Amino acid sequence: MSDATEPWLIVGLGNPGPEYAANRHNVGFMVADLLAERIGGKFKRAQKAQAQVVEGRMGPPGPASRRVILAKPMSYMNLSGGPVTALRDFYKVPTDHVVAVHDELDIDFGALRLKLGGGDNGHNGLKSMTKSMGPDYHRARFGIGRPPGRMQVADFVLKDFSSTERKELAYLVDRAADSVECLLAEGLERAQSAYNS
């Protein structure tokens, strides 16, 4: 098991570019942006990977504070593994200190599930990460629900949140950011009992 002094790499998954910014598939970017704001950092281009990063500390001052690297891969979603693995290696982050924040079809809109390891459930970003570095990283899964009627999954995830969903989105992104902070500060079990729904 890794020790408390080792850094954490928190990766918001999404697609780069303004046309994707408000898509369901980009909720990982939304959470990463909020976490960056909380630690007072601005994303800048990474030296060693196709990604934007912010470095800082998260949690209360003192021994409970954690060194974090927040990242948004600037490859497309299905190529996320390369940039994430490059950042993990560059910053010497243990794989179990990597957290992928991503949209999840099989959970109701707004529900959260935190877990360590597991399958990719058809999510192309996770599939790419697991292929690059194995499955033993944390996931913060943000529920987006299933597409309505006969809508294709690819069309659904690349659409913006509905106007009804947008009314709750800021609160839910805030809660997802809280869950990541709790995971780092108090561990997976405490974060799961507080936030898994």
Side-chain angles (χ1 to χ4, degrees):
M1 192 60 188
S2 326
D3 74 60
T5 61
E6 287 174 314
W8 285 79
L9 173 60
I10 300 163
V11 182
L13 293 180
N15 285 308
E19 68 274 33
Y20 298 108
N23 288 179
R24 292 182 176 93
H25 223 18
N26 271 43
V27 74
F29 275 18
M30 297 173 198
V31 175
D33 286 337
L34 179 57
L35 287 167
E37 204 178 290
R38 288 183 181 184
I39 66 171
K42 288 216 182 320
F43 278 99
K44 58 184 189 296
R45 191 186 217 121
Q47 301 279 298
K48 303 289 179 188
Q50 192 183 357
Q52 291 184 350
V53 294
V54 176
E55 294 179 60
R57 297 196 78 80
M58 198 174 274
S65 166
R66 301 280 179 260
R67 181 174 165 233
V68 294
I69 299 98
L70 299 172
K72 297 192 292 187
M74 291 289 113
S75 58
Y76 284 94
M77 178 71 88
N78 59 350
L79 300 171
S80 301
V84 176
T85 304
L87 291 169
R88 180 200 65 171
D89 295 348
F90 177 70
Y91 288 105
K92 299 180 172 54
V93 178
T95 302
D96 68 351
H97 273 45
V98 176
V99 183
V101 184
H102 64 92
D103 58 305
E104 177 61 66
L105 285 159
D106 286 337
I107 304 175
D108 290 341
F109 170 70
L112 278 175
R113 300 268 168 80
L114 297 161
K115 69 175 195 167
L116 174 62
D120 56 56
N121 216 13
H123 191 287
N124 288 331
L126 296 183
K127 202 174 285 182
S128 178
M129 282 180 62
T130 297
K131 190 176 173 188
S132 280
M133 61 184 193
D136 301 324
Y137 54 90
H138 285 87
R139 297 102 194 275
R141 304 156 73 207
F142 187 109
I144 60 168
R146 301 293 304 179
R150 292 166 180 247
M151 187 189 283
Q152 294 296 307
V153 164
D155 295 333
F156 179 69
V157 299
L158 293 174
K159 278 208 175 346
D160 291 358
F161 285 99
S162 71
S163 55
T164 311
E165 289 169 338
R166 281 199 299 272
K167 288 176 185 154
E168 289 183 85
L169 191 58
Y171 164 75
L172 296 168
V173 166
D174 195 64
R175 191 166 178 272
D178 290 346
S179 78
V180 172
E181 290 200 33
C182 182
L183 168 66
L184 269 59
E186 301 185 46
L188 180 60
E189 281 184 27
R190 288 291 295 272
Q192 285 174 324
S193 64
Y195 291 97
N196 276 17
S197 47

